[in-house]
């Protein structure tokens, strides 16, 4: 069995910055409420007329990751793409990456695990590398939320939180089993699926029925029971980080860098306090980008690395929680 390690990281966010004040012109909200509850100051929303989508943003991030890995697109053996906002209902975005990057006809797999999407995706890629089936895998997380949000006061509890963006990494084979990804831990609890959901269009409630229902039916907008999600998030984040540390004989103090999914700054601060981490041991960028769901962990990991906050030999922990519910962690000895 091999290990896998990250050898290239990239990110792409749309140019268009939407501040909290911009949102207050669309709906009844304000900067103080949003910052106090979520820590978010601004987010990126794709502007009409650009070519940005989950697939094209993912491709832009992927090109950077591949170049930084010192590889070419022809070296990539497999693609794993995580998103809840694909360009098409089907097929998924993975195949679009194969085309957009003009890659050989390698396999492409889409992961649908919302805010935990990137953690699940990297775990899947890790298994393929461990068994020796593939050597270099491109893993992408990308989201185009803004076109699907209810930007009226009715949707303010959800729409102020989410942002658009993409991140990517290249995983490669590592012969030393004490380096790279040491373990991944994945969980789900489907009984809470309806607590954070886009219910339609689904095959049981298809487009003509939604149109017929008219204004009454807004099941195509995201619904979130924010308080319920918050309570579960803080518990599951903590559990799954501890699970990963214990599996590898590590203590809280051994964490050099925790990259939590950027759901809400208050959740990250709760975790930071609970694990007694200094500001240097945790990375947050939700202030700038909001919650970019499957892109959030990989955008944050990329920025932390770009800012020189991750060094060879560091114990890096990725953790995520989200719709499903799904949650997971990844323990990495940075190599
Ligand atoms: C969404 C979240 C910020 C809401 O914060 P909250 O303290 O739970 O707020 P509530 O939803 O209880 O709403 C409190 C009040 O603020 C109002 N409100 C909601 N959104 C608002 C907004 N954007 N601006 C101003 N007021 C708003 C509500 O209408 C409510 O008013 P009321 O008391 O008159 O009914 C918070 O629940 C949260 O972050 N949850 C977790 C979200 C998350 O992590 N999601 C991603 C999972 S991966």
């Amino acid at each position: 069995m091999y290990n896998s390690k990250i050898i290239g990281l990239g990110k792409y966010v749309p140019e268009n910055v939407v501040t909290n004040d911009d949102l207050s012109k669309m709906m009844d909200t304000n900067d103080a409420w949003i910052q106090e509850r979520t820590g978010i100051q601004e987010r990126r929303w794709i502007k009409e007329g650009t070519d940005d989508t989950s697939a094209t943003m993912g491709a832009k991030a992927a090109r950077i990751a591949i170049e930084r890995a010192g590889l070419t697109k022809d070296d990539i053996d497999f693609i794993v793409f995580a998103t809840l906002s694909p360009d098409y209902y089907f097929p998924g975005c993975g195949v679009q990456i194969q085309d957009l990057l003009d890659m050989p006809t390698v396999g492409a797999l889409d992961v649908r695990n919302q805010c935990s999407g990137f953690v699940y995706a990297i775990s899947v890629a890790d298994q393929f590398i461990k068994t020796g089936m593939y050597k270099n895998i491109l893993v992408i997380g990308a989201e185009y939320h803004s076109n699907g949000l209810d930007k009226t006061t009715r949707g303010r509890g959800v729409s102020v939180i989410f942002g658009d963006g993409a991140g990517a990494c290249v995983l490669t084979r590592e012969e030393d089993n004490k380096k790279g990804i040491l373990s991944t831990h994945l969980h789900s609890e489907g009984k809470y699926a309806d607590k954070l959901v886009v219910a339609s269009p689904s095959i049981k409630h298809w487009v003509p029925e939604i149109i017929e229902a008219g204004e009454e039916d807004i099941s195509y907008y995201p619904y979130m029971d924010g308080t319920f999600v918050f309570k579960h998030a803080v518990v599951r984040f903590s559990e799954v980080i501890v699970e990963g540390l214990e599996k590898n004989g590590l203590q809280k103090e051994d964490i050099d860098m925790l990259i939590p999914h950027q759901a809400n700054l208050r959740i990250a601060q709760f975790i930071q306090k609970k694990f007694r981490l200094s500001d240097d041991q945790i990375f947050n960028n939700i202030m700038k980008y909001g919650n970019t769901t499957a892109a959030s962990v990989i955008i944050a990991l990329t920025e932390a690395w770009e800012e020189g906050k991750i060094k060879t030999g560091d114990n890096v922990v990725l953790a995520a929680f989200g719709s499903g519910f799904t949650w997971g962690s990844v323990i990495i000895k940075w190599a």
Side-chain angles (χ1 to χ4, degrees):
M1 292 277 261
Y2 300 105
N3 264 21
S4 69
K5 68 175 175 187
I6 295 172
I7 53 163
L9 289 158
K11 71 167 202 293
Y12 172 85
V13 291
E15 267 177 38
N16 184 39
V17 176
V18 177
T19 64
N20 294 340
D21 286 339
D22 292 332
L23 292 183
S24 68
K25 290 172 196 132
M26 304 173 203
M27 61 189 85
D28 182 10
T29 189
N30 58 76
D31 180 53
W33 191 98
I34 299 171
Q35 285 215 48
E36 189 190 315
R37 308 287 174 121
T38 70
I40 299 167
Q41 295 166 11
E42 58 188 43
R43 71 288 292 141
R44 304 297 178 96
W45 279 1
I46 289 170
K47 208 169 194 162
E48 244 178 80
T50 70
D51 76 340
D52 286 342
T53 65
S54 293
T56 60
M57 290 192 299
K60 287 173 192 173
R63 283 192 192 97
I64 297 168
I66 293 170
E67 196 192 329
R68 285 176 173 171
L71 300 179
T72 74
K73 44 127 180 137
D74 298 331
D75 298 315
I76 302 297
D77 303 315
F78 194 63
I79 301 161
V80 186
F81 198 116
T83 186
L84 64 69
S85 49
D87 291 25
Y88 300 122
Y89 191 80
F90 73 81
C93 288
V95 296
Q96 289 178 270
I97 296 299
Q98 183 278 326
D99 180 45
L100 287 165
L101 267 58
D102 189 25
M103 293 164 73
T105 56
V106 296
L109 176 78
D110 279 68
V111 167
R112 296 198 42 179
N113 286 75
Q114 302 69 247
C115 295
S116 311
F118 186 77
V119 163
Y120 267 76
I122 205 167
S123 176
V124 169
D126 180 49
Q127 312 313 311
F128 278 124
I129 289 177
K130 273 195 162 68
T131 58
M133 181 159 175
Y134 297 124
K135 189 168 177 218
N136 299 313
I137 302 185
L138 179 60
V139 187
I140 300 172
E143 299 293 359
Y144 179 6
H145 282 303
S146 55
N147 201 34
L149 298 173
D150 180 357
K151 298 185 189 108
T152 68
T153 298
R154 186 178 58 188
R156 66 183 178 174
V158 175
S159 50
V160 301
I161 293 173
F162 292 101
D164 303 333
C169 72
V170 176
L171 275 192
T172 197
R173 183 183 294 169
E174 165 62 57
E175 311 268 342
D176 183 344
N177 66 11
K178 293 195 176 59
K179 290 183 181 169
I181 294 182
L182 302 179
S183 63
T184 62
H185 309 269
L186 308 177
H187 296 278
S188 72
E189 197 170 27
K191 70 178 168 186
Y192 299 130
D194 63 357
K195 297 293 183 188
L196 179 47
V197 65
V198 174
S200 310
S202 72
I203 221 65
K204 61 181 179 157
H205 190 61
W206 198 235
V207 178
E209 296 159 56
I210 300 172
I211 293 170
E212 201 184 318
E215 286 288 298
E216 293 292 295
D217 189 343
I218 52 162
S219 57
Y220 47 87
Y221 284 132
Y223 165 79
M224 176 171 72
D225 182 338
T227 315
F228 192 87
V229 172
F230 195 106
K231 283 183 187 153
H232 282 254
V234 290
V235 172
R236 297 308 193 183
F237 261 112
S238 304
E239 276 177 12
V240 82
I241 293 169
V242 169
E243 183 185 349
L245 293 175
E246 282 179 355
K247 167 85 182 169
N248 294 286
L250 297 170
Q251 312 294 321
K252 293 172 193 168
E253 313 71 80
D254 297 323
I255 298 175
D256 294 300
M257 179 54 77
L258 170 64
I259 311 275
H261 161 53
Q262 302 292 292
N264 180 322
L265 192 60
R266 307 301 158 228
I267 295 177
Q269 286 168 336
F270 178 92
I271 304 297
Q272 178 177 1
K273 206 168 161 199
K274 184 160 181 189
F275 285 80
R276 297 208 186 95
L277 302 177
S278 69
D279 290 347
D280 294 337
Q281 290 171 286
I282 185 166
F283 188 84
N284 289 302
N285 60 7
I286 190 168
M287 304 74 90
K288 293 191 292 182
Y289 303 131
N291 178 344
T292 57
T293 311
S296 108
V297 168
I298 182 59
I299 292 176
L301 179 64
T302 302
E303 282 204 342
W305 175 82
E306 285 170 346
E307 291 175 21
K309 293 182 172 163
I310 297 177
K311 303 174 299 301
T312 304
D314 278 356
N315 294 316
V316 178
V317 178
L318 315 180
F321 173 88
S323 160
F325 290 156
T326 57
W327 62 100
S329 65
V330 181
I331 311 294
I332 305 171
K333 175 66 83 178
W334 201 260

